[in-house]
Amino acid sequence: MRVRVARQLSVRARSRCRALAIVVLVAGGVIAVTAAPAYAHGVGGVQPRNDETKLLRVAPHIPGVELTVVDLGDGLQLTNDTPHDVIVLGYDGEPYLRVGPRGVFENTRSPATYLNRSRIPMSKPPKRADSSARPVWHKVSSGITTTWHDHRAHFMGSEDPPNVRRNPSIRRVIDRWTVELRTEGRTIRASGELVWVPPPSPWPSVAIAIAIALGVVLLTRTSVWRDALATALALLVLSDLAHVVGLWNATTATTASNLRESAYSLAGVALGVFALAWMWRRGAESAMPLVLIAAIFLFVAGGLADVSTLGHSLVPTTFPTVVARLLVTLDLGLGAGLATAAALRLRQPLRARGDERSESLARSERPRAGYPGSQ
């Protein structure tokens, strides 16, 4: 009786695992759809690209006034540590930003105030925006540093320039830009250029990821499958955690934005650590659903959503670009391999149980000795 109850409980548990696996696969599809555009290899909305924004000169140089390119050219950052205001001029030469000891102010009558709220403007400035009107200043912060999108300093085309399309393997200057600032009656000119940086081919990284995935699956079909599974999961967790760290400090995004856009990866890391702890305490077999969930999260958030990294020359990360691509490759390969291995391990007990049922049914249908038909 106890054996029968135990078998029933085991059947129910495995059925729940199977149902959980199906739910996880569906959830993985949802994550793939929602995470890819939101995460897109970059906190703060910074995307991998092939055009580099270079600041060549700021003249005249004024001590305490510093202008830098940030977020792979998505923004310019101005710091004014002097007792005088610095005015950033807009696209029509109108006062746009004011940075000084009283804080940062924006001119609500400047069209640039509205055009610069996104990297690619989606609408025209409101009617009240008039570059010839007297400035109306609105305080946005009490600091001495501000960062803004400046469409003069990054590539605005929807497709690569014709000379780049003809030969994308050559590094070349595709445009030049100038932004003007004023302070104490003097004009400061910041000048730079946009440079096309030839991208690498993504296919070697894709081939490596496939090889890693196949290696993980094959190793988990051998006698050392438990050690292979735990090692692969630990490497996947460390890889994605490093991936998030590299992204975190590579942009000027706020901590809240970083947390929001790294949520899937951080959830996958937490699930991976939990799965490893479960494997240590209760065995690898019982941890398969957790391994499957963690692998799908990390494959999607750290690999699939950032797959564009493999084919772009400039990547938002504090690591060398080669390292950033390697981390994405590991997330893809280890994530796919672990998800496949865990799914196969979840299916194997179900198949074994079906064989046991068939054998038990066959035994029950055999004629017993001493009864008609037993001879």
Side-chain angles (χ1 to χ4, degrees):
M1 181 66 179
R2 291 180 180 178
V3 174
R4 182 179 299 174
V5 171
R7 286 180 178 176
Q8 290 177 349
L9 291 175
S10 178
V11 169
R12 291 177 182 175
R14 289 171 179 170
S15 298
R16 289 174 181 174
C17 287
R18 185 179 183 183
L20 178 61
I22 295 173
V23 171
V24 168
L25 291 174
V26 174
V30 174
I31 295 169
V33 173
T34 58
Y39 195 89
H41 197 92
V43 287
V46 180
Q47 307 293 320
R49 64 201 56 181
N50 301 318
D51 48 281
E52 180 181 9
T53 299
K54 300 185 69 174
L55 176 62
L56 300 179
R57 186 182 181 193
V58 178
H61 172 69
I62 298 178
V65 177
E66 182 180 2
L67 184 69
T68 56
V69 176
V70 295
D71 298 339
L72 293 185
D74 273 1
L76 296 179
Q77 187 173 82
L78 173 65
T79 298
N80 177 22
D81 195 14
T82 71
H84 307 286
D85 287 336
V86 172
I87 305 294
V88 179
L89 302 185
Y91 302 115
D92 296 325
E94 81 282 6
Y96 159 47
L97 291 173
R98 191 179 81 199
V99 185
R102 291 171 293 178
V104 177
F105 297 79
E106 64 180 12
N107 176 14
T108 59
R109 301 299 300 275
S110 168
T113 296
Y114 308 96
L115 292 172
N116 292 353
R117 287 181 177 172
S118 61
R119 186 176 186 274
I120 304 297
M122 303 304 294
S123 60
K124 295 181 179 180
K127 292 182 179 180
R128 67 177 177 275
D130 183 359
S131 58
S132 61
R134 182 177 180 179
V136 176
W137 296 107
H138 170 69
K139 188 172 184 177
V140 294
S141 82
S142 299
I144 59 172
T145 298
T146 186
T147 302
W148 73 98
H149 293 290
D150 200 303
H151 306 311
R152 293 165 289 200
H154 67 81
F155 185 65
M156 291 288 292
S158 57
E159 59 181 19
D160 298 329
N163 56 349
V164 169
R165 293 199 301 272
R166 284 194 296 268
N167 193 347
S169 62
I170 297 178
R171 183 184 180 100
R172 68 179 79 231
V173 176
I174 56 178
D175 201 1
R176 290 179 171 83
W177 56 271
T178 301
V179 173
E180 292 189 351
L181 307 90
R182 288 180 185 166
T183 182
E184 297 183 276
R186 292 187 292 176
T187 298
I188 304 172
R189 287 184 175 86
S191 57
E193 59 188 19
L194 298 178
V195 181
W196 171 262
V197 182
S201 171
W203 298 114
S205 296
V206 172
I208 293 172
I210 293 174
I212 292 173
L214 291 174
V216 170
V217 173
L218 291 176
L219 282 174
T220 55
R221 307 303 292 174
T222 66
S223 59
V224 297
W225 71 270
R226 292 176 179 84
D227 293 337
L229 201 74
T231 302
L233 182 57
L235 287 174
L236 178 58
V237 169
L238 291 174
S239 172
D240 199 68
L241 189 59
H243 180 60
V244 171
V245 170
L247 291 169
W248 197 279
N249 297 317
T251 74
T252 58
T254 63
T255 300
S257 177
N258 289 348
L259 285 172
R260 182 177 64 253
E261 297 187 30
S262 300
Y264 287 122
S265 279
L266 294 176
V269 168
L271 284 168
V273 172
F274 185 55
L276 287 169
W278 192 284
M279 291 172 69
W280 177 263
R281 293 179 60 87
R282 301 193 180 184
E285 293 86 350
S286 62
M288 286 304 102
L290 289 173
V291 173
L292 179 61
I293 298 172
I296 290 177
F297 264 81
L298 295 174
F299 169 76
V300 173
L304 191 61
D306 293 341
V307 72
S308 61
T309 298
L310 305 180
H312 285 86
S313 54
L314 304 175
V315 178
T317 180
T318 55
F319 298 130
T321 307
V322 174
V323 175
R325 293 194 193 99
L326 175 60
L327 293 175
V328 174
T329 302
L330 287 173
D331 286 349
L332 286 169
L334 292 172
L338 277 171
T340 303
L344 291 174
R345 282 284 164 185
L346 280 172
R347 184 181 179 186
Q348 188 174 356
L350 296 173
R351 184 181 298 173
R353 189 179 73 239
D355 295 340
E356 291 175 1
R357 285 181 175 178
S358 299
E359 185 178 350
S360 176
L361 181 61
R363 284 199 303 266
S364 66
E365 291 178 351
R366 291 174 187 170
R368 298 182 181 178
Y371 287 88
S374 63
Q375 298 298 327

